[in-house]
Amino acid sequence: MTSDRISADAVRRILKTRFMGREIHCLETVSSSNDAARELARSGSREGTVVLTDFQTQGRGRMGRAWVSPAGKNLLLSVILRPRVRPHVVPLITLMSAVAAARTIRDWNLKAEIRWPNDVCVDGWKVAGILTEMDSGPEGRPFLVLGIGINVNMEETDFPSGLKDEASSMRLLLKKSVDRTALLGSLLLRLEESYALLGGEKHETLSRQWSEFSCLTGRWVRVDSADRRIEGVVLGIDASGELVVRLENGLVETILSGDVRLIK
Ligand code: BTN
């Protein structure tokens, strides 16, 4: 069965985390789980609070794109985080979540990789995306909402025509359906582990993982960022989460945010 609902009780029974997902709200339909989590954060919900939904009427991705997901087949969740907010914290949170999502999907025997900055792919197919948004409460205290969408049990006919050539699901790649509750439990544990490595002495381990998991390293790319376009070969992702690219003229540039396309 692929369109079972996930219940908060079922998640709590299998959860091995200390705080991630210990407060969880399972909602049938929302506009976007990021919006629902933002409201909870603004009214003071604690770090690690999760909003999980079966269906979003206005699910969104990066760069104003829509995130399309049929009811009850995938994982759609948002997590409230309250890190010490420093400049550039958003890209780091996105990458640490991409590591956590990739490790989770690898636990299901799929070779998940990170396509900087926020995609998780298997054999070039996008199976998960991350949207990190920053806001602050009425008292001005900043927080982050980490939105994660994983294509779990989508079938071929569930993909809109514009996505058929680039997106896939764990079910399609594994040729069998995946228990979404178990996957969520594993994701929340991986998230808690990765989050603990962020910014402290162990940050090195996390940044090594995001470089190792990157499917762009050694590839020719075109990167469009707010003010310019560059092309070059990717050398890796540095410890501050920036993409390191060697241009054709030999200069090495680091890019904080942008949209990447493989060109060779
Ligand atoms: C992307 O690939 O551009 C990011 C997609 C992020 C989708 C998730 S689904 C749960 C959360 N709620 C949203 O509206 N978006 C994120």
Side-chain angles (χ1 to χ4, degrees):
M1 191 163 88
T2 53
S3 67
D4 54 326
R5 282 209 57 201
I6 300 179
S7 76
D9 281 346
V11 178
R12 282 190 203 105
R13 273 198 294 276
I14 58 151
L15 209 54
K16 295 198 180 80
T17 58
R18 194 171 53 79
F19 70 95
M20 205 63 88
R22 286 283 155 191
E23 183 178 330
I24 182 160
H25 303 258
C26 296
L27 309 174
E28 196 169 340
T29 301
V30 291
S31 55
S32 152
S33 59
N34 271 27
D35 294 338
R38 173 186 283 125
E39 286 316 305
L40 285 168
R42 288 180 68 82
S43 53
S45 283
R46 63 185 162 128
E47 172 151 273
T49 299
V50 168
V51 172
L52 181 85
T53 191
D54 263 331
F55 187 66
Q56 303 185 118
T57 55
Q58 287 168 347
R60 57 178 179 269
R62 278 177 80 240
M63 319 272 232
R65 296 181 191 122
W67 184 260
V68 180
S69 174
K73 291 199 170 179
N74 294 327
L75 280 185
L76 304 166
L77 67 142
S78 300
V79 185
I80 298 171
L81 295 176
R82 300 185 180 279
R84 204 158 49 88
V85 176
R86 296 168 291 119
H88 300 349
V89 76
V90 173
L92 296 182
I93 295 281
T94 303
L95 272 172
M96 83 81 195
S97 319
V99 167
R103 291 181 73 210
T104 305
I105 293 168
R106 285 184 180 207
D107 291 341
W108 265 256
N109 290 323
L110 288 170
K111 191 170 180 288
E113 296 179 306
I114 296 173
R115 189 168 62 198
W116 183 92
N118 72 319
D119 293 346
V120 179
C121 299
V122 176
D123 297 334
W125 297 96
K126 176 162 173 168
V127 292
I130 290 153
L131 178 69
T132 311
E133 296 175 322
M134 186 183 273
D135 205 341
S136 54
E139 73 305 323
R141 191 171 148 226
F143 61 82
L144 295 180
V145 172
L146 167 64
I148 304 177
I150 303 184
N151 295 340
V152 184
N153 285 322
M154 270 169 105
E155 291 162 88
E156 238 158 81
T157 47
D158 291 324
F159 287 92
S161 53
L163 286 182
K164 278 192 198 304
D165 292 339
E166 55 188 73
S168 188
S169 72
M170 293 178 69
R171 180 199 168 107
L172 286 172
L173 293 160
L174 285 169
K175 300 187 175 39
K176 61 177 186 201
S177 70
V178 172
D179 179 337
R180 290 187 305 146
T181 307
L183 189 71
L184 175 65
S186 176
L187 175 65
L188 293 172
L189 184 61
R190 293 300 195 190
L191 266 178
E192 189 168 284
E193 288 168 358
S194 291
Y195 189 50
L197 301 178
L198 195 70
E201 282 167 19
K202 302 201 177 122
H203 182 85
E204 200 54 30
T205 310
L206 186 58
S207 70
R208 196 173 345 102
Q209 282 172 349
W210 67 50
S211 258
E212 274 169 21
F213 285 17
S214 168
C215 63
L216 296 178
T217 307
R219 307 292 304 267
W220 276 88
V221 294
R222 173 179 303 137
V223 189
D224 287 301
S225 39
D227 50 347
R228 66 199 184 116
R229 164 177 287 187
I230 62 159
E231 289 183 6
V233 67
V234 175
L235 301 181
I237 305 171
D238 70 14
S240 38
E242 298 191 25
L243 192 72
V244 186
V245 179
R246 192 176 54 229
L247 311 185
E248 237 160 347
N249 64 11
L251 281 179
V252 175
E253 300 246 355
T254 59
I255 297 137
L256 179 61
S257 73
D259 214 23
V260 183
R261 294 254 151 228
L262 290 173
I263 52 173
K264 284 184 195 167

